[in-house]
Amino acid sequence: MSTTKLPRLTVLGAGPGDPELLTLKGARVLAEADVILYDALTNHALLQHARPAAVSVPVGKRRGMRSHSQDEINALIVEYAHRYGHVVRLKGGDPFVFGRGREEMLFAEAHGLATDYVPGISSAVAAAGSAGIPVTHRGLSEGFRVITATTATGELSGSVAEAAQSRATTVILMGLGELENIVAVFSRCGQTDTPAAIVQNGTLPQARVVTGTVAELPARAAAAGIGTPAIIIIGEVVRLATPASLATTLPPAAFAVLTPPSYAEVA
């Protein structure tokens, strides 16, 4: 009887960082994998769901560090699928939110692989929420947009200017390196005093949060030594940030800016 396995790819969302936020389906898929190609931002604790015989390969791309190119990753997916069978591409957050997940599936499909997609919890919502910041809240924000700071060519995205003209909550992924430029755009659009926050390592025990106004954010982030991975949140909902999450990074005076409105004010 032949033991040849069907070459296939599953693109799997690892969630925002906390390994307990992986979905049940995600855990099952990891347990079935013959090969796991995992990103730098995925929690390595998730690999405990894998079979001992599974091949685990780090392929993460990190800014300023030597890593696999997207073309190399695509080639590995096809190579390992034909050699071993079921390849699981483990990607941080949700693979369809600036994760190039569908791009990898299309490449695999073009090379004869069966494909599947398993969603993950996006850091765009979960990292903000872990700091007590909802992306929508009655009376403060009726919608939100999730954008990336730069285009494929490394230029500041036009979506930043579009977001700066709206009063909906803006969540910016991969934007810390462009923080000064982002603040300049929002300030030109009259949002200098809009509440803003940066959440680093959201959902993890080592999470850090800085808040303030848009204008204050760069200086406060620098003073706190905030680094990647981090998301930027701009909007009135930042006023609802959990005070306990701010205690180590904000001076006492900052809480006056962030005092949440009363229930009557948002009803």
Side-chain angles (χ1 to χ4, degrees), residues 36-81:
I36 300 171
L37 303 179
Y38 61 94
D39 274 352
L41 292 182
T42 59
N43 193 319
H44 293 183
L46 296 177
L47 297 178
Q48 68 185 357
H49 294 288
R51 296 180 297 109
V55 178
S56 297
V57 183
V59 294
K61 299 188 290 293
R62 294 297 295 271
R63 185 170 184 173
M65 298 175 62
R66 170 70 178 98
S67 60
H68 292 77
S69 69
Q70 189 61 54
D71 287 342
E72 290 171 334
I73 292 171
N74 290 344
L76 284 176
I77 289 171
V78 174
E79 176 188 345
Y80 281 124

Side-chain angles (χ1 to χ4, degrees), residues 72-93:
E72 290 171 334
I73 292 171
N74 290 344
L76 284 176
I77 289 171
V78 174
E79 176 188 345
Y80 281 124
H82 284 295
R83 185 189 304 179
Y84 295 103
H86 186 193
V87 174
V88 171
R89 182 71 172 95
L90 185 62
K91 303 171 76 71

Side-chain angles (χ1 to χ4, degrees), residues 136-156:
T136 64
H137 188 84
R138 185 172 54 162
L140 292 181
S141 175
E142 297 178 351
F144 69 100
R145 67 174 71 200
V146 181
I147 64 174
T148 182
T150 57
T151 66
T153 58
E155 300 173 344
L156 190 69

Side-chain angles (χ1 to χ4, degrees), residues 45-251:
L46 296 177
L47 297 178
Q48 68 185 357
H49 294 288
R51 296 180 297 109
V55 178
S56 297
V57 183
V59 294
K61 299 188 290 293
R62 294 297 295 271
R63 185 170 184 173
M65 298 175 62
R66 170 70 178 98
S67 60
H68 292 77
S69 69
Q70 189 61 54
D71 287 342
E72 290 171 334
I73 292 171
N74 290 344
L76 284 176
I77 289 171
V78 174
E79 176 188 345
Y80 281 124
H82 284 295
R83 185 189 304 179
Y84 295 103
H86 186 193
V87 174
V88 171
R89 182 71 172 95
L90 185 62
K91 303 171 76 71
D94 182 277
F96 280 13
V97 181
F98 301 115
R100 304 183 77 166
R102 186 57 181 148
E103 181 179 328
E104 293 176 354
M105 291 174 68
L106 290 170
F107 185 89
E109 291 163 7
H111 288 77
L113 272 60
T115 65
D116 196 9
Y117 157 70
V118 178
I121 298 173
S122 174
S123 62
V125 174
S130 69
I133 303 171
V135 291
T136 64
H137 188 84
R138 185 172 54 162
L140 292 181
S141 175
E142 297 178 351
F144 69 100
R145 67 174 71 200
V146 181
I147 64 174
T148 182
T150 57
T151 66
T153 58
E155 300 173 344
L156 190 69
S157 171
S159 296
V160 174
E162 294 173 4
Q165 298 175 57
S166 168
R167 290 297 170 176
T169 304
T170 299
V171 180
I172 305 174
L173 306 184
M174 300 170 285
L176 200 58
E178 295 290 337
L179 182 59
E180 293 281 357
N181 290 330
I182 291 167
V183 165
V185 172
F186 272 77
S187 296
R188 286 198 298 269
C189 292
Q191 298 216 47
T192 301
D193 296 325
T194 301
I198 299 174
V199 181
Q200 178 186 358
N201 290 319
T203 77
L204 292 172
Q206 64 269 32
R208 305 181 69 204
V209 182
V210 293
T211 69
T213 64
V214 165
E216 295 167 336
L217 204 57
R220 290 189 173 176
I226 292 295
T228 59
I231 69 168
I232 302 167
I233 309 116
I234 299 175
E236 294 297 324
V237 291
V238 173
R239 296 182 183 277
L240 303 175
T242 306
S245 70
L246 311 177
T248 60
T249 56
L250 282 182

